[in-house]
Amino acid sequence: MHQSVAHQTGYLPGDLEYRKLSTALFAAGLATFALLYSTQPLLPELVDAFQVSPSQSAFSVSFATFGLGLALLIAGPASEVLGRTNLMRWSVAATSFFALLSAFAPTWHLLLALRGLQGIAMAGLPAVAMAYLREEVHQDSHARASGLYIAGTAVGGMAGRLIAGGLSDLGGWRFATGGIAVVGVLCATVVWLLLPASRNFHPAAARPNDLFRVLRDPALLALYGIAATAVGAFVAVYNGAVFRLSGSPYELSAGAAGLVFCVYLLGSAGSATAGTLADRYGRRKVVPVGCLITLAGVAITLAAPLPLIILGLAVMTAGFFAVHGVASGWVPARAHASGVGTGQASSMYLFAFYLGSSVFGGLAGTAWSHAEWTGVAGEAGALFLVTLILAVLLRNVPSRVQN
């Protein structure tokens, strides 16, 4: 009886399968973001190891995010036909495999190629995770479950950067990259063992026209814009931060600078809290508040004292994950209410997300070369301002039930 109810209405907090699902997706999100941004704290070391410029070193992040963004356009629609569970399992496993190979890359260009393949392999998880949650979790807990998944990505982003920085101090960037890959393997094992098979997924014929349909809804377009600008600003800040903290007057090692990424814990809390608030007060009210918090955080980082820089990063991180956690869960809900494929809509959101990360995050190296932290903060502030404008405009878009 309990299984039948779960099948019809979706899992609720307290169900055994809900706990398994939450644990598996938390681990999957952790692995994906730990591996995706694992080279970020290593940028100064990559500059020295391969004799490249700061802007070129940022390609180690951008190639992975760009590969991920492109692959999402295929993985999302494919999941509507092939299913969700196996795609997510294989995605985490393949990503870990390419991460292991990256630790042995003999040249800069081969490292970039492996990072690109790593990004492509990652696509199977984020392309379908939100659609999977919408299908398997009770509708009253959608935002909460989405917040928990995004919380896993926040912890992954912190753990990847923190562990990579610490391992780099011990044995260099190769040792750090290999260590993060081992974390990915462990998380992949958890996903394979615990992720429940889909109960409410029904294969659908490929519908190429859905690509155009998800680009006609003004609410979805605004959400895609929010994804691109918010993450672009976020990645730009952290790309620039590693150069700022490793230089004068701070002179922090990769491991010491990596400790700054502990503020990602606030991102995890921000995402989960924002999801709960969105269930209570509505997504339209929560997203603009998150945007204002990100802008406040960037402003604080302009101060010189190290404690204030860390405080600013913490505030910005909490605000960003609040925005992303709510917006990413909003996309499949809006798509479902509009009668378009949730997998296609989620993939388009994430394509915009990782395209913004690749382009705007990569520009942080150029901004740093021209005006150091003032340039990076200026870029991030302008992007977060656009995010806020889109969030305000989104409040005026007609609702379609699940907004």
Side-chain angles (χ1 to χ4, degrees):
M1 179 65 70
H2 180 76
Q3 295 285 350
S4 177
V5 172
H7 175 74
Q8 294 175 7
T9 64
Y11 300 119
L12 288 164
D15 293 339
L16 176 61
E17 294 300 295
Y18 180 92
R19 291 195 293 271
K20 289 183 178 180
L21 179 151
S22 299
T23 301
L25 284 186
F26 186 91
L30 189 155
T32 298
F33 271 67
L35 294 168
L36 180 60
Y37 292 112
S38 60
T39 61
Q40 195 171 56
L42 308 177
L43 297 183
E45 188 169 341
L46 292 176
V47 168
D48 295 333
F50 293 101
Q51 297 299 302
V52 295
S53 68
S55 59
Q56 289 174 314
S57 71
F59 291 160
S60 66
V61 178
S62 296
F63 268 57
T65 54
F66 187 69
L68 173 53
L70 287 178
L72 284 168
L73 295 178
I74 299 173
S79 75
E80 300 286 357
V81 179
L82 302 176
R84 321 288 194 198
T85 310
N86 284 334
L87 188 59
M88 289 188 283
R89 288 171 176 165
W90 280 107
S91 174
V92 181
T95 300
S96 302
F97 172 71
F98 285 119
L100 284 171
L101 292 182
S102 297
F104 300 97
T107 67
W108 175 244
H109 291 99
L110 184 55
L111 174 63
L112 293 183
L114 288 170
R115 290 288 291 165
L117 289 173
Q118 196 173 327
I120 292 171
M122 289 178 186
L125 174 74
V128 302
M130 289 300 176
Y132 172 81
L133 285 171
R134 189 199 66 78
E135 292 163 354
E136 305 303 323
V137 175
H138 193 280
Q139 63 180 1
D140 291 343
S141 299
H142 281 173
R144 177 177 176 178
S146 298
L148 288 173
Y149 164 66
I150 297 299
T153 70
V155 173
M158 178 199 70
R161 293 163 168 98
L162 186 62
I163 295 172
L167 293 179
S168 176
D169 283 353
L170 293 175
W173 75 268
R174 295 185 187 277
F175 185 63
T177 303
I180 293 299
V182 171
V183 173
V185 170
L186 294 175
C187 288
T189 302
V190 172
V191 173
W192 275 85
L193 294 176
L194 294 185
L195 186 67
S198 295
R199 295 176 180 270
N200 300 316
F201 169 75
H202 301 288
R207 296 183 297 179
N209 287 337
D210 268 3
L211 175 61
F212 302 101
R213 296 177 69 189
V214 300
L215 292 175
R216 288 202 299 260
D217 184 348
L220 289 175
L221 287 175
L223 289 167
Y224 303 153
I226 286 172
T229 54
V231 76
F234 180 74
V235 174
V237 166
Y238 276 105
N239 279 353
V242 295
F243 288 105
R244 186 184 188 189
L245 297 178
S246 65
S248 178
Y250 311 106
E251 303 290 351
L252 299 182
S253 68
L259 292 174
V260 173
F261 294 108
C262 288
V263 300
Y264 260 61
L265 291 173
L266 290 178
S268 179
S271 173
T273 301
T276 300
L277 292 174
D279 281 337
R280 182 178 302 176
Y281 300 109
R283 298 178 174 98
R284 293 171 184 260
K285 296 180 180 178
V286 173
V287 174
V289 175
C291 295
L292 291 172
I293 293 173
T294 61
L295 284 167
V298 173
I300 295 171
T301 65
L302 290 170
L306 183 58
L308 287 180
I309 294 174
I310 296 173
L311 174 62
L313 291 174
V315 172
M316 183 207 66
T317 299
F320 165 74
F321 277 101
V323 171
H324 174 45
V326 175
S328 59
W330 192 345
V331 169
R334 175 77 184 191
H336 179 69
S338 302
V340 300
T342 56
Q344 181 70 72
S346 293
S347 292
M348 188 58 64
Y349 173 89
L350 290 169
F351 172 72
F353 184 89
Y354 292 111
L355 181 64
S357 175
S358 301
V359 175
F360 298 127
L363 287 176
T366 302
W368 174 264
S369 297
H370 283 83
E372 296 191 337
W373 188 251
T374 301
V376 174
E379 177 196 350
L383 288 169
F384 278 135
L385 182 59
V386 174
T387 307
L388 175 61
I389 293 171
L390 290 171
V392 172
L393 291 175
L394 194 55
R395 291 171 61 90
N396 298 320
V397 175
S399 173
R400 291 184 179 174
V401 182
Q402 296 182 350
N403 287 268

PDB file of all heavy atoms in Angstrom, residues 116 219 232 236 328:
ATOM      1  N   GLY A 116      37.358  19.013 -21.180  1.00  0.00           N
ATOM      2  CA  GLY A 116      36.171  19.115 -22.016  1.00  0.00           C
ATOM      3  C   GLY A 116      35.373  17.823 -22.031  1.00  0.00           C
ATOM      4  O   GLY A 116      34.139  17.837 -21.932  1.00  0.00           O
ATOM      5  N   ALA A 219       8.617  33.543 -19.222  1.00  0.00           N
ATOM      6  CA  ALA A 219       9.106  33.189 -17.883  1.00  0.00           C
ATOM      7  C   ALA A 219      10.331  32.292 -17.979  1.00  0.00           C
ATOM      8  O   ALA A 219      11.324  32.487 -17.267  1.00  0.00           O
ATOM      9  CB  ALA A 219       8.002  32.502 -17.078  1.00  0.00           C
ATOM     10  N   GLY A 232      27.637  33.289 -14.075  1.00  0.00           N
ATOM     11  CA  GLY A 232      28.788  33.956 -14.670  1.00  0.00           C
ATOM     12  C   GLY A 232      29.464  34.877 -13.678  1.00  0.00           C
ATOM     13  O   GLY A 232      30.701  34.895 -13.556  1.00  0.00           O
ATOM     14  N   ALA A 236      33.143  34.160 -11.895  1.00  0.00           N
ATOM     15  CA  ALA A 236      34.124  35.231 -12.089  1.00  0.00           C
ATOM     16  C   ALA A 236      34.728  35.659 -10.756  1.00  0.00           C
ATOM     17  O   ALA A 236      35.949  35.873 -10.649  1.00  0.00           O
ATOM     18  CB  ALA A 236      33.470  36.424 -12.785  1.00  0.00           C
ATOM     19  N   SER A 328      16.234  26.964 -10.557  1.00  0.00           N
ATOM     20  CA  SER A 328      16.394  25.677 -11.245  1.00  0.00           C
ATOM     21  C   SER A 328      15.213  24.753 -10.977  1.00  0.00           C
ATOM     22  O   SER A 328      14.833  23.953 -11.846  1.00  0.00           O
ATOM     23  CB  SER A 328      17.703  25.010 -10.811  1.00  0.00           C
ATOM     24  OG  SER A 328      17.722  24.785  -9.415  1.00  0.00           O
TER      25      SER A 328
END
